[in-house]
Amino acid sequence: EAGVVQSPRYKIIEKKQPVAFWCNPISGHNTLYWYLQNLGQGPELLIRYENEEAVDDSQLPKDRFSAERLKGVDSTLKIQPAELGDSAVYLCASSLGRAETQYFGPGTRLLVL
Amino acid sequence: AQSVSQHNHHVILSEAASLELGCNYSYGGTVNLFWYVQYPGQHLQLLLKYFSGDPLVKGIKGFEAEFIKSKFSFNLRKPSVQWSDTAEYFCAVWGNNRLAFGKGNQVVVIP
């Protein structure tokens, strides 16, 4: 069974530039999550989708971050414009349901210069 | 929102030593509990989980964890570690519609 797929794996951009991350969850998983992980910290939730609906986006900085999950399958997370403090690993995870085991992708490591 | 505490962020031990990592959480409602592991260069993987039933759960690679509800704890143990157990270990708690992670324990096993 294929796991959660994320791309790109690494991204280096200059501040104020836009950047986008893509995630394809495990087939059949209705719930999709985006997390932010800073160095030395555990993942922190940015947004949770149930199918195509964003049901928990309270932690998403909406002034510069946006996300979408069209058709309830794959998802895109965007930052525009990026700031130096956005340098981190962006993780995508999926699960069968909201309280079920979450399976994580390899993450996208973002460096903003 | 619940919080998850993991102490002793860096742990260094020799092969065959026993390992115990503490995890405490603050949420008072019903919880699901997880330990994830991240080996060098790899993504987060599930080590074990507790949803209900026997509070002593066994996971992969000889790891086990015990849920003590009265202490809000879910400590991870392995009686004899191997060099290949070098990794970062994260405790996570599902409660109040969200999965909260601890800061992780960086474990280095010396051959």
Side-chain angles (χ1 to χ4, degrees):
Chain A
E1 177 182 279
V4 176
V5 179
Q6 289 188 249
S7 68
R9 293 293 308 278
Y10 305 91
K11 189 74 176 180
I12 302 174
I13 61 172
E14 294 185 345
K15 62 181 181 181
K16 301 185 181 180
Q17 294 300 306
V19 63
F21 314 123
W22 176 81
C23 171
N24 187 253
I26 292 172
S27 178
H29 281 195
N30 297 325
T31 309
L32 183 146
Y33 314 78
W34 284 101
Y35 287 88
L36 167 69
Q37 186 175 18
N38 287 305
L39 192 64
Q41 304 290 323
E44 298 173 18
L45 180 71
L46 289 172
I47 189 168
R48 172 167 65 96
Y49 281 94
E50 298 285 349
N51 298 302
E52 61 271 12
E53 182 182 1
V55 295
D56 184 353
D57 63 355
S58 59
Q59 304 285 86
L60 190 72
K62 298 181 184 63
D63 57 335
R64 298 184 299 107
F65 286 66
S66 64
E68 60 182 13
R69 192 185 184 196
L70 302 176
K71 301 181 181 178
V73 182
D74 55 350
S75 175
T76 302
L77 177 69
K78 298 178 182 178
I79 309 175
Q80 182 170 12
E83 297 179 352
L84 295 177
D86 296 331
S87 295
V89 177
Y90 292 82
L91 296 169
C92 180
S94 70
S95 66
L96 285 171
R98 61 180 180 87
E100 299 294 327
T101 301
Q102 295 183 25
Y103 296 88
F104 286 81
T108 297
R109 188 174 296 274
L110 174 67
L111 179 60
V112 182
L113 302 175
Chain B
Q2 72 272 30
S3 64
V4 181
S5 298
Q6 293 180 246
H7 305 290
N8 302 321
H9 185 65
H10 292 95
V11 177
I12 302 173
L13 61 167
S14 300
E15 276 192 317
S18 64
L19 173 68
E20 180 161 1
L21 301 177
C23 174
N24 290 90
Y25 62 94
S26 62
Y27 185 63
T30 302
V31 293
N32 291 342
L33 301 163
F34 305 84
W35 275 96
Y36 283 88
V37 61
Q38 188 165 22
Y39 298 105
Q42 297 187 27
H43 60 277
L44 275 168
Q45 303 171 36
L46 180 69
L47 200 55
L48 48 77
K49 63 184 179 183
Y50 172 81
F51 284 10
S52 64
D54 188 345
L56 183 62
V57 293
K58 296 189 184 300
I60 61 173
K61 303 186 178 184
F63 284 90
E64 64 179 29
E66 184 176 12
F67 170 48
I68 303 179
K69 188 175 181 180
S70 61
K71 294 185 177 181
F72 297 90
S73 70
F74 189 54
N75 294 349
L76 180 71
R77 296 192 292 257
K78 184 170 184 178
S80 178
V81 296
Q82 301 174 319
W83 174 78
S84 59
D85 293 322
T86 294
E88 191 156 18
Y89 295 81
F90 292 94
C91 180
V93 178
W94 174 273
N96 198 24
N97 282 320
R98 189 173 291 178
L99 188 65
F101 284 82
K103 292 185 176 182
N105 297 103
Q106 184 67 55
V107 175
V108 175
V109 180
I110 301 171

